[in-house]
Amino acid sequence: MTTLRAAARRASAVGLALTACLTATPAMATAATAAPDRDGGAAASGTGLDRYYHQRIDWRSCVLGPDDAPGRELEKAGARCADVTVPLDYTDPKGRTLTVAISRIKATDTRHRVGPLLLNPGGPGGSGLAVPALIRPAMKEAGALYDLVGMDPRFVGRSNALDCGWSVGPSFRSAGPDRASFERQVAFQKGLADKCRATNGKVLPYITTRNTARDMDVIRGALGERKLSYLGFSYGTYLGTAYTQMFPGRYDRVVLDGALDPSRYNSRLFKGVEKENDQALADWAGWAAARHGTYGLGRTRAQVLATVNRIVEASSRRPLTVGTAPDVFRLDSSQTPFVINSGLASDTEEDRKALGEQVSVLAKAADGQPTRLSPQFAAVLRLGLTSEGSPAGSMQSAILCGDVAAPRDPEQYWQDIERSRAAHPLFGPLTNNIGACAFWDRPREEPTQVRHDTPALIVAATGDPRTPYTGSVSLHQKLPSSKLLTLKGANRHAIYGMYGSTCVDDTVNAYLATGKLPATDRTCIKQND
């Protein structure tokens, strides 16, 4: 899943909150049609969906106005934007419709053009509209072969963004130190679910991965393409897996980076990744100890970890006050583990420095000292702890809760928390905590099952603290024709084009350029890249 820091950085760099309305450049697309597949993928012919698959796409400027930095970046990269019409409910194609916002940077090597490459950054609910401009440089020569297509999934960003009116962002919280704090979480999470039901109850049943995959196929058809290539990160790997299973024969080249095990996909995605997060924290603590003069967190790894524990314990006694007006935040023991965890998705020097600065601020607050926040840390806290993050949090929960039913009984969560707490005192109560999905209406469809082999390239880091390496291994085993590209020695979530691994980037680009998977699974070593 995407981290707060990554989301905040993208928000400031490319402005994920976009709206649609621009001048038109018409382009006609003819749709490829086929009968529905046996896994429930909607198709055009004979199902009432022809008008969606055969719709006209009007390509327009991506720039909304003078302050639209993301639109300008897309424009600078040569992108055009459009809206694609899809049904809210694929079983009722004559009913309510939605618009899905897409962007496209056309292939420049038209002689060797492969086709469209649809991109998804993860989330769930991440905006993908700006991704073509971000990923194009990493693709090098391979990028010229593709029409790079970004998409804001249904109810995200320009695609009529969902907002339940929450006072917070993502609902991911720790259960805290005791039963009383857990009971407060039960009430808190129920309140979030009730708020979504009250404000958006009519559309919640249709905010699912399977419907997003159906939207992808409508986009394929509206573009006039027989097949769609795909590059997805994090949750985007599950979306890509769902598409290949629902629409076998309609995809070409597939790259899944930081893969989720589809058999483990549910609303409690972090349950079971405590070990990876403990290791990522310990590795970061060793890094911070070597820089005690800068951050003042301890001269040894053990001392830095003790400082982290002291922060969490202090926040359980009284909320920590951080920042100065207008950015003042109060963090209790349900929030401090969440904030610390949000900084562990990457072990780059830049990200480790950011976490060092943040933990230093929290340590001062735990001692009752006044603190000042960097603009970056303030953005992280606003996105996670205020209504500014409500659209992202609402959408993330809507997809997870709409895909797979969650356990209803709070006692089951409490037992999981207590079992995990002894071995993982910081992250056990976080990853096993109850969430809003415990109070959501049950999904209308069963989760996607892997029934079709897919010759995909799966990319994974051994120390991934978000989607653990075991998930990529499991997906690789379920897809016998796939190949696994492993980056050894990195505590990193999402690698290709973002981590600076020449070995990984070159291998992915070679596959995208030729369509030929590596002959065998391949391992890249972080230190030797």
Side-chain angles (χ1 to χ4, degrees):
M1 298 169 68
T2 52
T3 65
L4 282 179
R5 181 171 292 103
R9 185 179 299 130
R10 284 198 300 271
S12 62
V14 299
L16 297 182
L18 305 172
T19 56
C21 74
L22 303 166
T23 55
T25 303
M28 179 63 72
T30 57
T33 63
D37 79 285
R38 65 171 179 260
D39 195 33
S45 180
T47 62
L49 296 171
D50 301 69
R51 68 184 179 108
Y52 300 104
Y53 276 81
H54 289 277
Q55 68 186 283
R56 176 192 183 96
I57 296 183
D58 291 333
W59 293 104
R60 310 161 181 168
S61 168
C62 295
V63 181
L64 301 179
D67 298 325
D68 182 13
R72 288 198 303 272
E73 287 299 314
L74 281 166
E75 193 99 328
K76 183 179 177 181
R80 303 289 285 174
C81 290
D83 293 331
V84 175
T85 302
V86 299
L88 172 68
D89 178 1
Y90 275 85
T91 67
D92 182 20
K94 293 183 179 180
R96 177 178 170 181
T97 63
L98 308 171
T99 57
V100 173
I102 62 173
S103 62
R104 182 180 68 177
I105 300 175
K106 295 189 73 173
T108 55
D109 186 351
T110 55
R111 182 178 178 183
H112 303 100
R113 178 182 177 273
V114 176
L117 175 67
L118 194 141
L119 309 164
N120 185 277
S127 168
L129 202 72
V131 176
L134 300 176
I135 206 70
R136 177 63 182 83
M139 295 182 69
K140 299 181 180 177
E141 292 82 2
L145 307 177
Y146 291 91
D147 293 345
L148 302 182
V149 180
M151 173 180 72
D152 278 357
R154 54 174 52 205
F155 294 103
V156 173
R158 287 190 183 184
S159 301
N160 311 114
L162 178 80
D163 187 353
C164 292
W166 289 355
S167 61
V168 298
S171 63
F172 191 47
R173 292 291 186 274
S174 174
D178 52 34
R179 184 69 191 229
S181 60
F182 170 70
E183 293 296 343
R184 288 193 292 271
Q185 278 298 301
V186 173
F188 170 73
Q189 300 290 347
K190 183 178 186 302
L192 295 179
D194 290 345
K195 185 83 169 178
C196 264
R197 190 177 295 107
T199 57
N200 291 277
K202 291 184 179 180
V203 300
L204 291 180
Y206 309 104
I207 304 176
T208 66
T209 297
R210 290 176 65 83
N211 277 331
T212 300
R214 293 177 177 118
D215 295 344
M216 288 168 53
D217 202 57
V218 167
I219 291 170
R220 175 201 59 76
L223 291 172
E225 302 288 347
R226 290 183 59 253
K227 292 187 177 183
L228 187 73
S229 292
Y230 182 81
L231 167 61
F233 299 89
S234 189
Y235 159 81
T237 66
Y238 181 71
L239 174 60
T241 300
Y243 182 79
T244 63
Q245 298 305 305
M246 294 171 66
F247 300 96
R250 300 190 201 172
Y251 59 86
D252 188 357
R253 302 169 195 183
V254 177
V255 180
L256 306 175
D257 189 324
L260 286 161
D261 178 356
S263 64
R264 287 193 67 252
Y265 175 80
N266 58 63
S267 63
R268 305 174 75 188
L269 283 180
F270 285 166
K271 185 176 185 293
V273 298
E274 299 83 11
K275 180 181 177 181
E276 288 82 0
N277 280 278
D278 282 344
Q279 186 61 56
L281 180 62
D283 289 349
W284 170 82
W287 176 92
R291 294 157 180 80
H292 176 72
T294 301
Y295 303 106
L297 300 174
R299 299 183 184 278
T300 67
R301 174 180 295 187
Q303 289 176 355
V304 174
L305 292 174
T307 298
V308 171
N309 290 335
R310 178 172 61 82
I311 290 168
V312 176
E313 290 171 0
S315 68
S316 68
R317 293 190 295 271
R318 66 179 185 281
L320 308 183
T321 301
V322 300
T324 55
D327 289 318
V328 178
F329 304 90
R330 291 169 60 80
L331 285 75
D332 61 25
S333 59
S334 74
Q335 297 161 329
T336 49
F338 165 63
V339 171
I340 292 166
N341 174 269
S342 75
L344 295 176
S346 174
D347 60 3
T348 65
E349 191 75 6
E350 177 188 9
D351 288 310
R352 282 182 162 175
K353 286 179 179 178
L355 183 56
E357 178 257 322
Q358 294 175 13
V359 176
S360 180
V361 167
L362 295 176
K364 291 176 182 177
D367 292 334
Q369 300 178 28
T371 60
R372 184 177 298 275
L373 303 178
S374 68
Q376 293 77 15
F377 193 18
V380 168
L381 294 177
R382 282 197 303 273
L383 188 63
L385 307 181
T386 76
S387 59
E388 184 175 318
S390 176
S394 302
M395 189 60 192
Q396 188 173 84
S397 289
I399 294 174
L400 291 171
C401 304
D403 280 347
V404 185
R408 299 294 221 202
D409 185 1
E411 197 62 33
Q412 179 175 338
Y413 296 89
W414 176 247
Q415 291 174 4
D416 289 343
I417 290 165
E418 290 298 277
R419 277 193 294 266
S420 182
R421 191 193 299 273
H424 310 284
L426 177 60
F427 294 125
L430 178 71
T431 59
N432 290 273
N433 193 26
I434 196 168
C437 295
F439 307 99
W440 220 262
D441 293 342
R442 294 187 65 84
R444 297 192 178 186
E445 287 190 85
E446 292 298 316
T448 300
Q449 301 296 317
V450 175
R451 297 190 177 99
H452 309 290
D453 190 10
T454 303
L457 181 60
I458 301 170
V459 185
T462 54
D464 189 332
R466 291 294 179 267
T467 55
Y469 182 68
T470 53
S472 291
V473 172
S474 178
L475 180 60
H476 177 40
Q477 293 170 343
K478 289 178 172 67
L479 305 175
S481 296
S482 67
K483 290 295 182 290
L484 179 61
L485 175 60
T486 298
L487 178 61
K488 190 174 182 180
N491 298 328
R492 168 71 187 200
H493 181 56
I495 305 166
Y496 170 68
M498 294 184 285
Y499 192 58
S501 169
T502 302
C503 175
V504 168
D505 290 355
D506 287 352
T507 304
V508 173
N509 284 337
Y511 166 60
L512 290 174
T514 66
K516 296 179 180 179
L517 288 166
T520 61
D521 294 341
R522 184 174 181 189
T523 297
C524 299
I525 308 298
K526 175 190 173 185
Q527 300 93 304
N528 296 334
D529 260 3

